[in-house]
Amino acid sequence: CPRRRSTGGDCYVRLDTAPHSAWKKWVRQDRPGVNWDHHVVTLQREARDHGLRLGAYGDPAAVPVAVWRNLISALQPKTITGYTHQWRDAHAAEYRTLVMASADNAQDARDALASGWRYFAAVPFTEDAAGLPNAIQCLSDSKGKLCEDCGICDGARDGRTVQPISIWIAEHGPMSSAKIKRAAGLQVLA
């Protein structure tokens, strides 16, 4: 991912918190273990109540699409969200109904749309999002709506027509906040 922090990107995922905490919880609860059936039922309930994020850390297109389809079939989630930076690669075309193209700027967004993808654009604070084609601002930013209650990023996994609209959001990771503060001449605390 071009936004990964290890290369100076502005990803909001902190490896020392979110993925690590999820892994520690998984281990504490002995998953998978002898009670695997119980955990599948729990996962099904959580997915049906809250939705499923494909590739919460990592690109979902790195996993064979058949694996995602089998998981989705087993869990029957309320909504599915996911974003891929691999949308330019021919092999990723089969993910279009599951995930959105991850666009890092307005040009990426236009290219993704021209390639038949819905996009989720994290717009740099130096760009104007008003010119993005066929897009609305993320409802978490504009209306304070939670992702699990929104679902607009959901793909058409169940045969529905894919949402025609794409989404944009202002860059929002910790590195983005630092860039904005520096541009405004404010002190940035490490």
Side-chain angles (χ1 to χ4, degrees), residues 17-187:
T17 56
H20 186 69
S21 295
W23 173 251
K24 284 182 3 186
K25 180 180 178 187
W26 182 272
V27 170
R28 262 193 327 271
Q29 293 180 351
D30 195 29
R31 294 182 185 183
V34 292
N35 296 325
W36 182 243
D37 290 345
H38 167 72
H39 295 301
V40 170
V41 170
T42 300
L43 289 171
Q44 286 174 327
R45 185 181 61 249
E46 289 175 3
R48 288 180 183 147
D49 289 348
H50 305 289
L52 178 65
R53 168 80 184 261
L54 305 183
Y57 178 72
D59 195 307
V63 175
V65 74
V67 171
W68 290 127
R69 292 197 192 285
N70 287 337
L71 180 67
I72 290 163
S73 177
L75 297 181
Q76 295 296 306
K78 172 183 169 182
T79 58
I80 296 171
T81 57
Y83 313 93
T84 181
H85 272 101
Q86 296 184 45
W87 57 270
R88 287 182 178 90
D89 299 340
H91 86 277
E94 62 188 334
Y95 295 82
R96 277 191 197 131
T97 60
L98 297 178
V99 300
M100 298 173 78
S102 187
D104 295 313
N105 53 51
Q107 188 57 54
D108 271 1
R110 287 189 287 277
D111 292 347
L113 191 63
S115 297
W117 284 84
R118 290 174 63 217
Y119 61 84
F120 189 95
V123 180
F125 72 96
T126 56
E127 289 187 21
D128 180 13
L132 289 177
N134 201 37
I136 62 168
Q137 185 177 13
C138 177
L139 297 180
S140 72
D141 274 5
S142 64
K143 306 275 187 213
K145 200 164 194 173
L146 297 175
C147 292
E148 72 179 83
D149 296 329
C150 176
I152 200 165
C153 290
D154 188 10
R157 70 191 187 287
D158 59 4
R160 291 173 289 126
T161 302
V162 174
Q163 291 277 350
I165 203 78
S166 292
I167 311 297
W168 69 268
I169 193 168
E171 284 182 330
H172 54 285
M175 299 297 286
S176 295
S177 298
K179 283 190 236 176
I180 293 167
K181 287 177 183 174
R182 280 190 194 100
L186 302 173
Q187 182 179 8

